[in-house]
Amino acid sequence: MANRNLAKDARETCVLVTGGAGFIGSHTCVELMNAGYNAVIVDDLSNSSEESIRRVREITGVDEDRLSFVKASILDREALEQVFSTYSIDAIIHFAGFKAVGESVVKPLEYYWNNIAGTLVLCDVARAHGCKNIVFSSSATVYGEPEFIPITEDCPKHTPTNPYGQTKSMLEQILSDLYVGDNEWNVVLLRYFNRIGAHESGLIGEDPHGIPNNLVPYVAQVAVGKLAAVGVFGDDYPTPDGTGVRDYIHVVDLARGHVAALRWMAGLVGTGKPIGLGSMAGEPAEDGTRRGVGIFNLGTGCGSSVLDVIAAYGRACGHDIPYQIKPRRAGDIAENYAACDKARDELGWVAEYDLDRMCADSWRWQSNNPNGYRD
Ligand code: WQD
């Protein structure tokens, strides 16, 4: 079956956003609404809140017609059939998946089942309804310990050190193979670096359940007084101040990268130079659309250390953030940050916000919502 070509006009395009109630998903829905798209969120709310969807509608002034919500798991074939039968889905932005690195080590079956099998069900139902345009939420974790930095998309992938990372790497391969088997598929793999921050309104943001595993949500809870001090996992790395260096990117910049990916699929942006697998590599078709696999890093190209982040957050909240040096965390790498030339040249996308802005927006969300969406 042929694939649906994306319209040039966003207002004629309906995007299925799996996991759209989550941190990146909700911010992406804001940018989709701002760009004129229609969207249908499918989310099982296992790690998110419906309140985030209400707030996205509040921020953007849209109603349920422009931004619909269906509570369902991507494993629920019947529910997905209903969604594709009810809405004319032109493209998918696929966020839904379990994403806690540590948890994935102790629950591999749940992670492979939900993330891999769920994606297979999603693609099977989408294909049956003539939709083969998918933007996938991948991660810099597929590079493992990078062979060189800044990391380009050609940097070899390494075996991830945990099942979560394995699901990202495997799904990149699966989605690429869909194109190899059927050139009607249109796949964009977005490899996120460390996404932090929040929408400037302070209405939506990261809302981790339990003690945060990641640095910035942990720092945020220390800043607001919910936790006592930040544990800095190692200060003996070969980095400028000895602490781990990462490429932190504002979640709004990241969200805008997804809109750019849809515009690329529609042939609205792009150089036409060979950049990926298949005809995605070459000139768009007569009507401007493309087919194939495009892979893009979404980062800032700047590395910041743990201590840089703690200092920036202190500036944002107006007081020092207490911390203690702790032993290294197993599986951590010393340093990674992205080369972002390809996204700039092909997608016309560049991250705009710096670390201070990321921390200021994160603090506004955290201080206005100390208990996240449970307030
Ligand atoms: C960042 C730095 C830590 C917590 C992970 C996943 C990746 C992606 C983003 C989903 C490191 C240090 C952390 C703390 C600390 N997740 N740190 N104290 O490990 O780079 O990436 O989250 O897509 O796939 O691997 O992010 O925020 O956990 O750590 O010192 O309490 O902060 O050692 O140097 P990471 P992180």
Side-chain angles (χ1 to χ4, degrees), residues 24 99-101 137-142 161-162 164-165 168 192-196 212-219 229-234 237 243-248 304-306 309-310 324 326-329 331-336:
I24 307 172
K99 65 176 179 71
V101 169
S137 164
S138 190
S139 167
T141 202
V142 303
T161 55
N162 56 80
Y164 158 76
K168 290 299 185 185
Y192 307 157
F193 283 71
N194 291 55
R195 69 276 182 271
I196 65 170
N213 296 306
N214 296 134
L215 176 65
V216 170
Y218 198 104
V219 170
V230 179
V232 176
F233 297 151
Y237 284 103
T243 64
V245 171
R246 297 289 184 274
D247 185 332
Y248 296 95
S304 301
S305 74
V306 176
V309 171
I310 290 172
Q324 296 161 343
K326 296 280 179 72
R328 292 183 177 190
R329 177 173 66 178
D332 271 353
I333 61 174
E335 186 170 20
N336 83 358

Side-chain angles (χ1 to χ4, degrees), residues 69-230:
F69 168 57
V70 175
K71 183 183 178 188
S73 162
I74 53 174
L75 285 161
D76 184 342
R77 177 183 289 273
E78 192 178 324
L80 290 179
E81 283 287 357
Q82 185 63 28
V83 167
F84 278 89
S85 302
T86 306
Y87 303 94
S88 174
I89 305 293
D90 299 295
I92 300 163
I93 301 181
H94 180 30
F95 294 109
F98 296 157
K99 65 176 179 71
V101 169
E103 183 185 56
S104 75
V105 174
V106 295
K107 293 184 174 178
L109 178 54
E110 287 75 9
Y111 269 70
Y112 287 116
W113 179 246
N114 185 68
N115 293 7
I116 304 287
T119 302
L120 296 178
V121 173
L122 172 67
C123 290
D124 190 31
V125 174
R127 176 180 62 177
H129 289 263
C131 174
K132 301 175 183 177
N133 299 308
I134 183 165
V135 178
F136 175 59
S137 164
S138 190
S139 167
T141 202
V142 303
Y143 296 113
E145 178 83 47
E147 295 204 4
F148 50 81
I149 47 177
I151 301 173
T152 64
E153 289 82 354
D154 301 326
C155 187
K157 289 169 67 170
H158 286 160
T159 304
T161 55
N162 56 80
Y164 158 76
Q166 283 283 16
T167 64
K168 290 299 185 185
S169 194
M170 289 174 179
L171 287 171
E172 286 198 352
Q173 185 61 56
I174 289 168
L175 294 172
S176 300
D177 288 346
L178 293 187
Y179 169 73
V180 172
D182 170 3
N183 286 175
E184 278 296 311
W185 279 91
N186 215 357
V187 175
V188 174
L189 308 175
L190 299 179
R191 291 173 177 168
Y192 307 157
F193 283 71
N194 291 55
R195 69 276 182 271
I196 65 170
H199 186 265
E200 61 186 358
S201 64
L203 286 173
I204 58 174
E206 188 165 15
D207 182 19
H209 293 176
I211 302 294
N213 296 306
N214 296 134
L215 176 65
V216 170
Y218 198 104
V219 170
Q221 291 196 16
V222 171
V224 81
K226 289 185 73 176
L227 294 169
V230 179

Side-chain angles (χ1 to χ4, degrees), residues 47 197 205-231 309-310 313-314 316-317 319-323 359 361-375:
N47 192 24
E206 188 165 15
D207 182 19
H209 293 176
I211 302 294
N213 296 306
N214 296 134
L215 176 65
V216 170
Y218 198 104
V219 170
Q221 291 196 16
V222 171
V224 81
K226 289 185 73 176
L227 294 169
V230 179
V309 171
I310 290 172
Y313 219 97
C317 70
H319 59 76
D320 287 346
I321 304 285
Y323 66 87
C359 291
D361 289 346
S362 169
W363 173 241
R364 190 175 309 107
W365 152 255
Q366 183 67 58
S367 53
N368 289 338
N369 305 272
N371 297 313
Y373 293 112
R374 288 174 291 284
D375 279 342

